Amino acid sequence: RGFGTMVIRRLISRAVELGWSQVKVSDIYEFNHASRALFEGLGFESVEATRHGRSYVLRLDASERQRPSTGRR
């Protein structure tokens, strides 16, 4: 449990290292509540409807977003 969160956080960190302005998820199926919650919990925003669900974007410009929490205690 939590492996998906760890992987997505690492992806976000790598994107920042590479200077990317955003990370986009092309399609999360409407019925996939767990994936939608994972991405939304990490700060991704739903940006458009797709054939099967929604696409999501995380803007990496620090002035446009809040940093996702690490979940550590």
Side-chain angles (χ1 to χ4, degrees), residues 12-66:
I12 294 167
S13 294
R14 184 65 178 143
V16 169
E17 290 170 7
L18 294 172
W20 292 8
S21 62
Q22 66 181 15
V23 175
K24 182 174 183 182
V25 179
S26 297
D27 200 0
I28 297 179
Y29 285 3
E30 196 64 38
F31 63 82
N32 195 340
H33 302 288
S35 287
R36 288 174 30 216
L38 168 66
F39 284 95
E40 289 171 3
L42 291 173
F44 284 75
E45 297 176 6
S46 174
V47 291
E48 67 182 335
T50 63
R51 184 174 181 188
H52 300 289
R54 306 281 311 167
S55 65
Y56 288 80
V57 169
L58 177 67
R59 289 171 180 78
L60 298 175
D61 181 348
S63 65
E64 295 182 24
R65 71 175 184 96
Q66 292 182 332

Side-chain angles (χ1 to χ4, degrees), residues 5 9 41-42 66-72:
T5 301
R9 283 193 179 127
L42 291 173
Q66 292 182 332
R67 189 166 190 87
S69 66
T70 62
R72 295 183 185 161

